[in-house]
Amino acid sequence: KRDVVLAPGLVVLRGFVDAPRADAVLAAVDAVAPRFAVPAYANGQRIHCRMACLGRAWDAATGTYVPTSRNDDAVPAIPASLAALAHDAALAAARHDARVLGCGPSYDTPDVCLLNFYADDEPNAKMGLHQDRAESDDALRRGAPVVSVSIGADAIFVVGATRDDAGSKTRIRLRSGDVVCFGGPSRLVYHGVELVAPFADAAPSAPRGMRPGRLNLTFRRSR
């Protein structure tokens, strides 16, 4: 369960979210009742997971943040307990590599949390290599960190210098409770999910009361 520095400004915290806190994360998400949906890109291709937003809505078709969801639903605020989790994880990662916090004067409190749910019964559950770059130029210039929390099933997380160069990719297995933080020089790293393992194989820290699958909470500062 050793933490890993994968690249400058990119840190994996092993088992950072223990079982009680994972239960609290699910309770906090359930309390705001976000509406999960399968979004599609502008070309009509659907994303292989269900998504919901907290703080601000992200629109897959335009790749931008919008005031409301495509169903004109109001976007729930990020619960304080989830914001605190992102804060704690970012500071823990910075103890391994201070560059993860970017070049801002202090920790950049996230104003967006994307929720991705990879269902156990989705045979193609995955997320292709991409950059998180819908945020403002100022936020990207600061290198404000992305904090990505894994709850539930294991997954193969992949990062790369480019989207296409197979030789540049690094793969690492993420388990329930692991957190990936990337900022500063790694803020625009290409990353994705190649495989989601069966929920039955998940580590003991995976909440057994959750719907079988993997929940990923990705916090970032958008502006």
Side-chain angles (χ1 to χ4, degrees):
K1 294 184 70 172
R2 223 176 251 183
D3 297 341
V4 181
V5 178
L6 284 182
L10 198 169
V11 178
V12 179
L13 302 172
R14 291 296 196 188
F16 185 79
V17 183
D18 61 14
R21 198 166 192 181
D23 289 337
V25 167
L26 294 183
V29 171
D30 287 344
V32 297
R35 292 187 62 177
F36 283 87
V38 179
Y41 296 115
N43 63 5
Q45 180 181 353
R46 292 197 169 273
I47 296 175
H48 294 291
C49 70
R50 300 183 68 81
M51 299 183 69
C53 299
L54 304 177
R56 298 182 73 190
W58 177 75
D59 183 68
T62 62
T64 61
Y65 292 103
V66 293
T68 62
S69 73
R70 286 198 161 246
N71 296 322
D72 290 326
D73 295 324
V75 181
I78 301 174
S81 61
L82 298 186
L85 171 59
H87 172 270
D88 293 348
L91 295 190
R95 287 194 284 272
H96 292 287
D97 184 349
R99 291 170 292 187
V100 77
L101 296 180
C103 62
S106 61
Y107 169 70
D108 239 339
T109 303
D111 60 355
V112 173
C113 176
L114 298 186
L115 306 170
N116 297 336
F117 184 72
Y118 303 84
D120 220 30
D121 55 4
E122 168 55 64
N124 295 314
K126 61 184 177 180
M127 181 72 68
L129 274 181
H130 65 284
Q131 294 173 303
D132 289 347
R133 60 179 315 134
E135 293 68 44
S136 72
D137 289 343
D138 189 44
L140 295 176
R141 190 164 44 248
R142 294 195 308 273
V146 173
V147 177
S148 179
V149 179
S150 295
I151 304 291
D154 293 5
I156 302 300
F157 181 72
V158 57
V159 297
T162 68
R163 183 160 46 194
D164 302 317
D165 183 6
S168 71
K169 293 183 176 65
T170 299
R171 293 169 175 82
I172 189 167
R173 192 178 189 97
L174 297 179
R175 294 179 170 83
S176 188
D178 290 348
V179 179
V180 179
C181 300
F182 52 97
S186 285
R187 176 57 182 79
L188 290 176
V189 68
Y190 283 93
H191 59 284
V193 175
E194 285 190 341
L195 174 72
V196 177
F199 183 72
D201 298 339
S205 57
R208 293 298 163 178
M210 72 179 287
R211 179 183 171 187
R214 174 179 184 260
L215 177 65
N216 177 231
L217 302 89
T218 306
F219 302 85
R220 76 279 304 276
R221 183 77 187 181
S222 68
R223 50 195 166 188

